[in-house]
Amino acid sequence: MARGLFRRYGYTEVRTPIFEEAELFVRSTGETSDIVRKEMFFFRDKGGRELALRPEGTAGVVRAYVEHGMYKLAQPVKMWYFGPMFRHERQQKGRYRQHTQIGAEVLGSDDPLVDVEVIALLYAIHRSAGVREEVIHLNNLGDAETRRRYIPELRAFLERHRSELDPDSVARIGTNPLRTFDSKDPNTQAVLREAPLIGEYLSEEAAAYLSAVREGLEALGIPHTLDERLVRGLDYYTSTVFEAKSPLLGAQDTVGAGGRYNRLVEELGGPDVPGIGFGTGVERILLAARGWEPETSLDAFFVTLSPEARLPALRLAEALRAEGFACELDYAGRSPKGQFRQADRLGASYAVVLGEEELSGGFCTVRDMRSGEERRVPVSEGPKELLRALAR
RNA sequence: GUGGCCGUAGCUCAGUUGGCAGAGCAUCGGAUUGUGGCUCCGAAGGUCGCGGGUUCGAAUCCCGUCGGUCACCCCA
C-alpha cells in the first residue's frame, strides 16, 4: 500500500541495519534527549564495540547518505524505509518497546515545496490506511538567528515564573527551554499561555519559509493548523516541524511526525546539506484507522462423510482454489453435523457434500447454505460442473 | 526511570474469616445412523504467571520475581 505511494512520489527504498554504533544515535538525536538518556537498547559485541538497536530511522538513512557519497548524485535524494524501531521504556496504549515505522527522508534541498510534498505524502499514507479526522500541526523552530533572539527571551520569562513550574520544566530552563511547552502539568500550561511565542521572533527568511509551506498545504487542501507550542523531542530538528494528530488515539495522539534537520548531515561527517523527513508508526495507524474488517468470505466448505471422501474432496477444493474460489475442508475430525456447523460459522456460501452415495454415483451434493436447497452436480469429468454451479 | 491497577479454563471474570478450583460465553458430542443457525442434555478443558516462605492445609497471607495494562516522562 505505502509502497505504491512511494513509487508515485518518486522515492526509492533503503534498508539500513537494525543496530548501529550507539554513537551515531547519540550524535544525531542529541545527548540530552530522553531517547539517548534512557530509551536505547544498548549492548557491546565481542570486540567491545558499543552498539544500539535503532530507536528511530533518520540517523541510519543519513549515515548511509554520507557513507555512500550520495551528495554527489543529482539532488534531492528521496528515500523511504520500513522496519522495526526499539525503545527501552514502559509501554502503554500506542507505545511499545518494539514498533514499526514507515519513514521518508529527502536530502539535498531546502525548497519549501519539498516540505509540502513530504507532509502530503505522510497525509496520503494515513488516508489510504483509513485514518480519519487527522490534522497536521505545523510549526517552525527557526534558523540560528531566530533562536539567538528567542531563546534568551523565553528563558528569562521562565525564570520569572520559576516557582509556578513543575520540577521537570524548571530543569529544562537551562538545558532546553523549548521543551517546557511539552509539559502536561496544568500550572505550567497556565504559565505558558503568557509565554512569548517563537512566531514573533522568526527571522524574515524563516517567516517567509513558514508561510510558503502553509500556502502549499492550503493549495493541496490538507487540513493543518499553526501550533506555535509544537516542539520536538529530538535535538536535530530545525526550521519546519510537524505532527499528524488523531483524536482517536488516547494519550499518545501523534500518528506520525517529522521535520527539517538542516544541520544533521554535516554533523554526521558529510557536507552542509539540508534534509527533511518523517516517521510514522504502523501500530498507531492501525489504532487510528477505524476497523475496516477484511470480511473473509468463503465460497465452499467441503463436508466429507467418510475417510474415503477426503482425498477426492481435497482434489476438488484444490481445483476450485486454482480458479479463484475460497474453499475449506474439515481438518478437525468433526461429525457431519459439526462440519455443517463449521461451514455456517465460516460463512460459506455452499456446502459441498461427499459421501458414499456421491462417490459411487460420481457426483457431489451442493447445498446452498442460504436457502437450504440441494442439487446433485456430476463431477466425473472433473470440477467443471461444480465450477459452474458455484459461479451462479 | 516513576506511579496506579491486573495475572485463575480458549475468552470475560467470580472465588467468603486460609478448608475438594467455579460460572457465562466459546469448543466437542448427543437429542436428529448423511445436513448449519434456535432449543435442550452432556463432555472435555486449569502448572491458579513463576520461585520461595508461613501453615496440618495457600488461588487466598508474607517476600521476591516475571509479564500485562493505564498514566507520567518521552515518543511513532
Side-chain angles (χ1 to χ4, degrees), chain A residues 189-272:
Chain A
Q189 280 297 329
V191 169
L192 287 171
R193 269 195 283 278
E194 311 294 320
L197 294 173
I198 197 167
E200 305 154 24
Y201 293 84
L202 285 181
S203 67
E204 231 170 274
E205 294 77 20
Y209 197 92
L210 176 58
S211 51
V213 173
R214 295 177 71 187
E215 277 171 32
L217 293 179
E218 209 65 57
L220 296 183
I222 293 171
H224 64 283
T225 174
L226 180 65
D227 181 355
E228 294 193 63
R229 293 159 204 280
L230 173 64
V231 294
R232 303 277 303 145
L234 281 56
D235 288 358
Y236 55 62
Y237 286 119
T238 58
S239 186
T240 303
V241 292
F242 53 89
E243 293 190 356
K245 288 173 179 286
S246 160
L248 304 163
L249 241 50
Q252 318 302 324
D253 61 356
T254 300
V255 187
R260 274 210 163 267
Y261 42 84
N262 289 341
R263 308 285 315 135
L264 185 60
V265 177
E266 190 170 6
E267 273 166 34
L268 293 182
D272 180 10

Coordinates of all heavy atoms in Angstrom, one line a residue, chain A residues 189-272:
Chain A
Q189 N 1.2 24.7 32.2 CA 0.4 25.1 31.0 C -0.2 26.5 31.1 O -0.1 27.3 30.2 CB -0.7 24.1 30.7 CG -0.2 22.8 30.0 CD 0.3 23.1 28.6 OE1 -0.1 24.0 28.0 NE2 1.3 22.3 28.2
A190 N -0.7 26.8 32.3 CA -1.3 28.1 32.5 C -0.2 29.2 32.4 O -0.5 30.2 31.7 CB -1.9 28.2 33.9
V191 N 0.9 29.0 32.9 CA 2.0 30.0 32.8 C 2.4 30.2 31.4 O 2.6 31.3 30.9 CB 3.3 29.5 33.6 CG1 4.5 30.4 33.3 CG2 3.0 29.5 35.1
L192 N 2.5 29.1 30.6 CA 3.0 29.1 29.3 C 2.0 29.9 28.3 O 2.4 30.3 27.2 CB 3.3 27.7 28.7 CG 4.6 27.1 29.3 CD1 4.7 25.7 29.0 CD2 5.8 27.9 28.9
R193 N 0.8 30.0 28.7 CA -0.2 30.7 27.9 C 0.2 32.2 27.7 O -0.1 32.8 26.8 CB -1.6 30.6 28.5 CG -2.4 29.5 27.9 CD -3.9 29.6 28.2 NE -4.2 29.2 29.6 CZ -4.3 28.0 30.1 NH1 -4.2 27.0 29.2 NH2 -4.6 27.7 31.3
E194 N 1.0 32.6 28.7 CA 1.5 34.0 28.6 C 2.9 34.1 28.0 O 3.4 35.2 27.8 CB 1.6 34.6 30.1 CG 0.4 34.4 30.9 CD -0.8 35.2 30.4 OE1 -0.6 36.3 29.9 OE2 -2.0 34.6 30.4
A195 N 3.5 33.0 27.7 CA 4.9 33.0 27.3 C 5.0 33.6 25.9 O 4.1 33.5 25.1 CB 5.4 31.5 27.3
P196 N 6.2 34.2 25.6 CA 6.5 34.7 24.3 C 6.5 33.5 23.3 O 7.1 32.4 23.7 CB 7.9 35.3 24.4 CG 8.5 34.7 25.6 CD 7.3 34.4 26.6
L197 N 6.0 33.7 22.1 CA 6.0 32.6 21.1 C 7.0 32.9 20.1 O 7.3 34.0 19.7 CB 4.5 32.5 20.5 CG 3.5 32.0 21.5 CD1 2.1 32.1 20.9 CD2 3.8 30.6 22.1
I198 N 7.4 31.8 19.5 CA 8.5 31.9 18.5 C 8.2 32.6 17.3 O 9.0 33.3 16.6 CB 9.1 30.5 18.2 CG1 10.5 30.6 17.6 CG2 8.1 29.7 17.3 CD1 11.2 29.3 17.5
G199 N 6.9 32.6 17.0 CA 6.4 33.3 15.7 C 6.8 34.7 15.7 O 7.1 35.2 14.6
E200 N 6.8 35.4 16.8 CA 7.1 36.8 16.8 C 8.6 37.1 16.6 O 9.0 38.2 16.4 CB 6.7 37.5 18.2 CG 5.2 37.2 18.5 CD 4.9 37.2 20.0 OE1 5.7 37.9 20.7 OE2 3.9 36.6 20.4
Y201 N 9.4 36.1 16.8 CA 10.8 36.2 16.7 C 11.5 35.7 15.5 O 12.7 35.8 15.3 CB 11.5 35.6 17.9 CG 11.1 36.3 19.2 CD1 10.0 35.9 19.9 CD2 12.0 37.2 19.8 CE1 9.6 36.6 21.1 CE2 11.6 37.9 20.9 CZ 10.4 37.6 21.6 OH 10.1 38.2 22.7
L202 N 10.6 35.1 14.6 CA 11.2 34.5 13.4 C 11.9 35.5 12.5 O 11.4 36.6 12.4 CB 10.1 33.8 12.6 CG 9.5 32.5 13.1 CD1 8.4 32.0 12.1 CD2 10.5 31.4 13.2
S203 N 13.0 35.1 12.0 CA 13.7 36.0 11.1 C 12.9 36.1 9.8 O 12.0 35.3 9.6 CB 15.1 35.4 10.7 OG 14.9 34.2 10.0
E204 N 13.2 37.1 9.0 CA 12.4 37.3 7.8 C 12.4 36.0 6.9 O 11.4 35.6 6.4 CB 13.1 38.4 7.0 CG 12.1 39.5 6.6 CD 12.8 40.7 6.0 OE1 13.2 41.6 6.8 OE2 13.0 40.7 4.8
E205 N 13.6 35.4 6.8 CA 13.7 34.2 6.0 C 12.8 33.1 6.5 O 12.1 32.4 5.8 CB 15.1 33.7 5.9 CG 16.1 34.7 5.1 CD 16.5 35.9 6.0 OE1 16.4 35.8 7.3 OE2 16.9 36.9 5.5
A206 N 12.9 32.9 7.8 CA 12.2 31.8 8.5 C 10.7 32.0 8.3 O 9.9 31.1 8.0 CB 12.6 31.6 9.9
A207 N 10.3 33.3 8.5 CA 8.8 33.6 8.4 C 8.3 33.3 7.0 O 7.2 32.8 6.8 CB 8.6 35.0 8.9
A208 N 9.1 33.7 6.0 CA 8.7 33.5 4.6 C 8.7 32.1 4.3 O 7.7 31.6 3.6 CB 9.7 34.2 3.7
Y209 N 9.6 31.3 4.9 CA 9.6 29.9 4.6 C 8.4 29.2 5.2 O 7.7 28.4 4.5 CB 10.9 29.3 5.3 CG 11.2 27.9 4.8 CD1 12.1 27.7 3.7 CD2 10.6 26.8 5.3 CE1 12.4 26.5 3.3 CE2 10.9 25.5 4.9 CZ 11.8 25.4 3.8 OH 12.1 24.1 3.3
L210 N 8.0 29.6 6.4 CA 6.8 29.0 7.0 C 5.6 29.4 6.2 O 4.8 28.5 6.0 CB 6.7 29.6 8.5 CG 5.4 29.2 9.2 CD1 5.3 27.7 9.4 CD2 5.4 29.8 10.6
S211 N 5.5 30.6 5.8 CA 4.2 30.9 5.0 C 4.2 30.2 3.7 O 3.1 29.8 3.2 CB 4.0 32.4 4.9 OG 5.1 33.0 4.4
A212 N 5.4 30.0 3.1 CA 5.4 29.2 1.8 C 4.9 27.8 2.0 O 4.2 27.3 1.2 CB 6.8 29.2 1.3
V213 N 5.3 27.2 3.2 CA 4.8 25.8 3.4 C 3.3 25.8 3.7 O 2.6 25.0 3.2 CB 5.6 25.2 4.7 CG1 5.0 23.9 5.1 CG2 7.1 25.1 4.4
R214 N 2.9 26.8 4.4 CA 1.4 26.9 4.7 C 0.6 27.1 3.4 O -0.4 26.4 3.2 CB 1.1 28.0 5.7 CG 1.7 27.7 7.0 CD 1.5 28.9 8.0 NE 0.1 28.9 8.4 CZ -0.4 29.9 9.1 NH1 0.3 31.0 9.5 NH2 -1.7 29.9 9.5
E215 N 1.1 27.9 2.5 CA 0.4 28.1 1.2 C 0.4 26.8 0.5 O -0.7 26.5 -0.2 CB 1.2 29.2 0.4 CG 0.8 30.6 0.7 CD 1.8 31.6 0.0 OE1 2.2 31.3 -1.1 OE2 2.0 32.7 0.6
G216 N 1.4 26.1 0.5 CA 1.5 24.8 -0.2 C 0.4 23.8 0.3 O -0.3 23.2 -0.5
L217 N 0.3 23.7 1.6 CA -0.6 22.8 2.2 C -2.1 23.3 1.9 O -2.9 22.5 1.6 CB -0.4 22.8 3.8 CG 0.9 22.1 4.2 CD1 1.0 22.2 5.7 CD2 1.0 20.7 3.7
E218 N -2.2 24.6 1.9 CA -3.5 25.2 1.6 C -3.9 24.8 0.1 O -5.0 24.3 -0.1 CB -3.4 26.7 1.6 CG -4.7 27.5 2.0 CD -5.1 27.1 3.4 OE1 -4.4 27.4 4.3 OE2 -6.3 26.7 3.5
A219 N -2.9 24.9 -0.8 CA -3.2 24.6 -2.2 C -3.6 23.1 -2.4 O -4.4 22.8 -3.3 CB -2.0 24.9 -3.0
L220 N -3.1 22.3 -1.5 CA -3.4 20.8 -1.6 C -4.6 20.4 -0.8 O -5.0 19.3 -0.8 CB -2.2 20.0 -1.2 CG -0.9 20.2 -2.1 CD1 0.2 19.2 -1.6 CD2 -1.2 19.9 -3.5
G221 N -5.1 21.4 -0.1 CA -6.3 21.1 0.7 C -6.0 20.1 1.9 O -6.9 19.3 2.3
I222 N -4.8 20.2 2.4 CA -4.5 19.3 3.6 C -4.8 20.1 4.9 O -4.3 21.2 5.1 CB -3.0 18.9 3.5 CG1 -2.8 18.0 2.3 CG2 -2.6 18.2 4.8 CD1 -1.3 17.8 2.0
P223 N -5.7 19.5 5.7 CA -6.1 20.2 6.9 C -4.9 20.4 7.9 O -4.2 19.4 8.2 CB -7.1 19.2 7.6 CG -6.9 17.9 6.9 CD -6.3 18.2 5.6
H224 N -4.6 21.6 8.3 CA -3.4 21.8 9.1 C -3.7 23.0 10.0 O -4.6 23.8 9.8 CB -2.2 22.1 8.2 CG -2.3 23.3 7.4 ND1 -3.1 23.4 6.3 CD2 -1.8 24.6 7.6 CE1 -3.0 24.6 5.7 NE2 -2.2 25.3 6.5
T225 N -2.9 23.2 11.0 CA -3.1 24.3 11.9 C -1.7 24.7 12.4 O -0.8 23.9 12.6 CB -4.0 23.9 13.1 OG1 -4.0 25.0 14.1 CG2 -3.4 22.6 13.8
L226 N -1.5 26.0 12.6 CA -0.2 26.5 13.1 C -0.2 26.3 14.6 O -1.1 26.8 15.3 CB -0.1 28.0 12.7 CG 1.2 28.6 13.2 CD1 2.4 28.0 12.5 CD2 1.2 30.1 13.0
D227 N 0.8 25.6 15.1 CA 0.8 25.3 16.5 C 2.2 25.8 17.0 O 3.2 25.1 17.0 CB 0.6 23.8 16.7 CG 0.7 23.4 18.2 OD1 0.9 24.3 19.0 OD2 0.4 22.3 18.5
E228 N 2.2 27.0 17.6 CA 3.5 27.6 17.9 C 4.1 27.0 19.2 O 5.2 27.3 19.6 CB 3.3 29.1 18.1 CG 3.0 29.8 16.8 CD 3.2 31.3 16.9 OE1 4.3 31.8 17.1 OE2 2.2 32.0 16.7
R229 N 3.3 26.1 19.8 CA 3.8 25.4 21.0 C 4.3 24.1 20.7 O 4.7 23.3 21.5 CB 2.7 25.3 22.0 CG 2.2 26.6 22.6 CD 0.8 26.5 23.2 NE 0.2 27.8 23.2 CZ 0.5 28.7 24.2 NH1 1.3 28.5 25.1 NH2 -0.1 29.9 24.1
L230 N 4.3 23.7 19.4 CA 4.8 22.4 19.0 C 6.3 22.4 18.9 O 6.9 23.2 18.2 CB 4.3 22.1 17.6 CG 4.8 20.8 16.9 CD1 4.4 19.6 17.7 CD2 4.3 20.7 15.5
V231 N 6.9 21.6 19.8 CA 8.4 21.5 19.7 C 8.6 20.0 19.6 O 7.7 19.2 19.8 CB 9.1 22.1 21.0 CG1 8.9 23.6 21.0 CG2 8.5 21.4 22.2
R232 N 9.8 19.6 19.4 CA 10.0 18.1 19.2 C 11.1 17.6 20.1 O 12.0 18.4 20.5 CB 10.4 17.8 17.7 CG 9.4 18.3 16.7 CD 8.3 17.3 16.5 NE 8.8 16.0 16.1 CZ 8.2 14.9 16.5 NH1 7.2 14.9 17.3 NH2 8.8 13.8 16.1
G233 N 11.0 16.3 20.5 CA 11.9 15.8 21.5 C 13.3 15.4 20.9 O 14.2 15.1 21.7
L234 N 13.5 15.4 19.6 CA 14.8 15.1 19.1 C 15.5 16.4 18.8 O 15.0 17.3 18.2 CB 14.6 14.3 17.8 CG 14.3 12.8 18.0 CD1 13.0 12.6 18.8 CD2 14.1 12.1 16.6
D235 N 16.8 16.4 19.1 CA 17.6 17.6 19.1 C 17.9 18.1 17.7 O 18.3 19.2 17.4 CB 18.9 17.5 19.8 CG 18.6 17.4 21.4 OD1 17.5 17.6 21.7 OD2 19.6 17.2 22.1
Y236 N 17.8 17.2 16.7 CA 18.3 17.6 15.4 C 17.4 18.5 14.5 O 17.8 18.9 13.5 CB 18.8 16.4 14.6 CG 17.8 15.2 14.3 CD1 16.6 15.4 13.7 CD2 18.1 13.9 14.8 CE1 15.7 14.4 13.4 CE2 17.2 12.9 14.6 CZ 16.1 13.1 13.9 OH 15.2 12.1 13.7
Y237 N 16.2 18.7 15.0 CA 15.3 19.5 14.2 C 15.6 20.9 14.1 O 16.0 21.6 15.1 CB 13.8 19.3 14.7 CG 13.2 17.9 14.4 CD1 12.8 17.1 15.4 CD2 13.1 17.5 13.1 CE1 12.3 15.8 15.1 CE2 12.6 16.3 12.8 CZ 12.2 15.4 13.8 OH 11.7 14.2 13.5
T238 N 15.4 21.5 12.9 CA 15.5 22.9 12.7 C 14.3 23.3 11.8 O 13.8 22.4 11.1 CB 16.8 23.3 12.0 OG1 16.8 22.6 10.7 CG2 18.0 22.9 12.8
S239 N 14.0 24.6 11.7 CA 13.0 25.0 10.8 C 11.7 24.3 10.9 O 11.1 24.2 12.0 CB 13.6 24.9 9.4 OG 12.7 25.5 8.4
T240 N 11.2 23.8 9.8 CA 9.8 23.1 9.8 C 9.7 21.9 10.7 O 10.6 21.0 10.6 CB 9.5 22.7 8.4 OG1 9.6 23.8 7.5 CG2 8.1 22.1 8.3
V241 N 8.7 21.9 11.6 CA 8.4 20.6 12.3 C 6.9 20.4 12.2 O 6.1 21.3 12.0 CB 8.8 20.7 13.8 CG1 10.3 20.7 13.9 CG2 8.2 21.9 14.5
F242 N 6.5 19.1 12.2 CA 5.1 18.8 12.1 C 4.7 17.5 12.8 O 5.6 16.7 13.0 CB 4.7 18.8 10.6 CG 5.5 17.8 9.8 CD1 5.1 16.5 9.7 CD2 6.7 18.3 9.2 CE1 5.9 15.6 8.9 CE2 7.4 17.4 8.4 CZ 7.1 16.1 8.3
E243 N 3.5 17.4 13.2 CA 2.9 16.2 13.8 C 1.6 16.0 13.3 O 0.8 16.9 13.2 CB 2.9 16.3 15.3 CG 4.2 16.4 16.0 CD 4.1 16.3 17.6 OE1 3.0 16.2 18.1 OE2 5.2 16.2 18.2
A244 N 1.3 14.7 12.9 CA 0.0 14.4 12.4 C -0.8 13.8 13.6 O -0.4 12.7 14.1 CB 0.0 13.3 11.3
K245 N -1.8 14.4 14.1 CA -2.5 14.0 15.3 C -3.9 13.5 15.0 O -4.6 14.0 14.1 CB -2.6 15.2 16.3 CG -1.3 15.5 16.9 CD -1.4 16.8 17.8 CE -0.1 17.2 18.4 NZ 0.2 16.3 19.6
S246 N -4.3 12.5 15.7 CA -5.6 11.9 15.6 C -6.3 11.9 17.0 O -5.7 11.5 17.9 CB -5.6 10.5 15.0 OG -6.8 9.9 15.4
P247 N -7.5 12.4 17.1 CA -8.2 12.4 18.4 C -8.6 11.0 18.9 O -9.0 10.8 20.0 CB -9.5 13.2 18.1 CG -9.7 13.1 16.7 CD -8.4 12.9 16.0
L248 N -8.4 10.0 18.0 CA -8.8 8.6 18.4 C -7.8 7.8 19.2 O -8.0 6.7 19.5 CB -9.2 7.8 17.1 CG -10.2 8.5 16.2 CD1 -10.1 7.9 14.8 CD2 -11.6 8.4 16.8
L249 N -6.7 8.4 19.5 CA -5.6 7.6 20.0 C -5.3 7.6 21.5 O -4.6 6.8 22.0 CB -4.3 8.1 19.3 CG -3.6 7.1 18.4 CD1 -4.5 6.5 17.5 CD2 -2.4 7.8 17.7
G250 N -5.9 8.5 22.3 CA -5.6 8.5 23.7 C -4.5 9.4 24.0 O -4.2 10.4 23.4
A251 N -3.7 9.0 25.0 CA -2.6 9.8 25.5 C -1.5 10.0 24.4 O -0.9 11.1 24.4 CB -2.0 9.3 26.8
Q252 N -1.3 9.0 23.6 CA -0.3 9.2 22.5 C -1.1 9.5 21.3 O -1.4 8.6 20.5 CB 0.5 7.9 22.3 CG 0.9 7.2 23.6 CD 1.7 8.0 24.5 OE1 2.5 8.8 24.0 NE2 1.5 7.9 25.8
D253 N -1.3 10.8 21.0 CA -2.2 11.2 19.9 C -1.5 11.5 18.6 O -2.1 11.8 17.6 CB -3.1 12.3 20.3 CG -2.3 13.6 20.7 OD1 -1.0 13.5 20.7 OD2 -2.9 14.6 20.9
T254 N -0.1 11.3 18.6 CA 0.6 11.6 17.4 C 0.8 10.3 16.6 O 1.3 9.3 17.0 CB 2.0 12.1 17.7 OG1 1.8 13.3 18.4 CG2 2.8 12.4 16.4
V255 N 0.2 10.3 15.3 CA 0.3 9.1 14.5 C 1.7 9.1 13.8 O 2.3 8.1 13.7 CB -0.8 9.1 13.4 CG1 -0.8 7.8 12.7 CG2 -2.2 9.3 14.1
G256 N 2.0 10.2 13.3 CA 3.3 10.3 12.6 C 3.8 11.8 12.7 O 3.1 12.7 13.0
A257 N 5.1 11.9 12.6 CA 5.7 13.3 12.8 C 7.0 13.4 12.1 O 7.7 12.4 11.7 CB 5.9 13.5 14.3
G258 N 7.5 14.6 12.0 CA 8.8 14.8 11.4 C 9.2 16.3 11.3 O 8.6 17.1 12.0
G259 N 10.2 16.5 10.5 CA 10.6 17.9 10.4 C 12.0 18.0 9.7 O 12.5 17.0 9.2
R260 N 12.4 19.2 9.6 CA 13.7 19.5 8.9 C 14.9 19.3 9.8 O 14.8 19.5 11.1 CB 13.7 21.0 8.4 CG 13.1 21.2 7.1 CD 13.7 22.3 6.3 NE 13.3 22.1 4.9 CZ 14.0 21.4 4.0 NH1 15.2 20.9 4.3 NH2 13.5 21.1 2.9
Y261 N 16.0 18.9 9.3 CA 17.2 18.7 10.1 C 18.4 19.2 9.2 O 19.2 18.4 8.7 CB 17.4 17.3 10.5 CG 17.1 16.2 9.5 CD1 18.0 15.9 8.5 CD2 15.8 15.6 9.4 CE1 17.7 14.9 7.5 CE2 15.5 14.7 8.5 CZ 16.5 14.3 7.5 OH 16.2 13.4 6.6
N262 N 18.5 20.5 9.1 CA 19.4 21.1 8.1 C 20.9 21.0 8.5 O 21.7 21.3 7.7 CB 19.0 22.6 7.8 CG 17.7 22.7 7.0 OD1 17.3 21.7 6.4 ND2 17.1 23.8 7.0
R263 N 21.1 20.7 9.8 CA 22.5 20.6 10.3 C 23.0 19.2 10.4 O 24.2 18.9 10.6 CB 22.6 21.3 11.7 CG 22.0 22.7 11.7 CD 22.9 23.7 11.1 NE 24.3 23.5 11.5 CZ 25.3 23.5 10.6 NH1 25.1 23.7 9.4 NH2 26.6 23.3 11.1
L264 N 22.1 18.2 10.3 CA 22.4 16.9 10.7 C 23.5 16.2 9.8 O 24.4 15.5 10.3 CB 21.2 16.0 10.7 CG 21.3 14.6 11.2 CD1 21.9 14.5 12.6 CD2 20.0 13.8 11.2
V265 N 23.3 16.4 8.5 CA 24.3 15.7 7.6 C 25.7 16.1 7.9 O 26.6 15.3 7.9 CB 23.9 16.0 6.1 CG1 24.9 15.4 5.1 CG2 22.5 15.5 5.8
E266 N 25.9 17.4 8.1 CA 27.2 17.9 8.4 C 27.7 17.4 9.7 O 28.9 17.0 9.9 CB 27.2 19.5 8.4 CG 28.6 20.0 8.4 CD 28.6 21.6 8.2 OE1 27.5 22.1 8.2 OE2 29.7 22.1 8.1
E267 N 26.8 17.3 10.7 CA 27.2 16.8 12.0 C 27.6 15.3 11.9 O 28.4 14.9 12.8 CB 26.1 17.0 13.0 CG 26.1 18.4 13.7 CD 24.8 18.6 14.4 OE1 24.2 17.7 14.9 OE2 24.4 19.8 14.4
L268 N 27.1 14.6 11.0 CA 27.5 13.2 10.9 C 28.6 13.0 9.9 O 28.8 11.9 9.4 CB 26.2 12.4 10.5 CG 25.2 12.3 11.5 CD1 24.0 11.4 11.1 CD2 25.7 11.8 12.9
G269 N 29.3 14.1 9.6 CA 30.5 13.9 8.8 C 30.4 14.2 7.3 O 31.3 13.9 6.5
G270 N 29.2 14.7 6.9 CA 29.0 14.9 5.4 C 29.1 16.4 5.2 O 29.5 17.2 6.0
P271 N 28.9 16.8 3.9 CA 28.9 18.2 3.6 C 27.7 18.9 4.2 O 26.8 18.3 4.8 CB 28.8 18.2 2.1 CG 28.2 16.9 1.7 CD 28.6 16.0 2.8
D272 N 27.6 20.2 4.0 CA 26.5 21.0 4.6 C 25.3 20.9 3.7 O 25.1 21.6 2.7 CB 26.9 22.5 4.6 CG 25.8 23.4 5.2 OD1 24.8 22.8 5.7 OD2 26.0 24.6 5.2

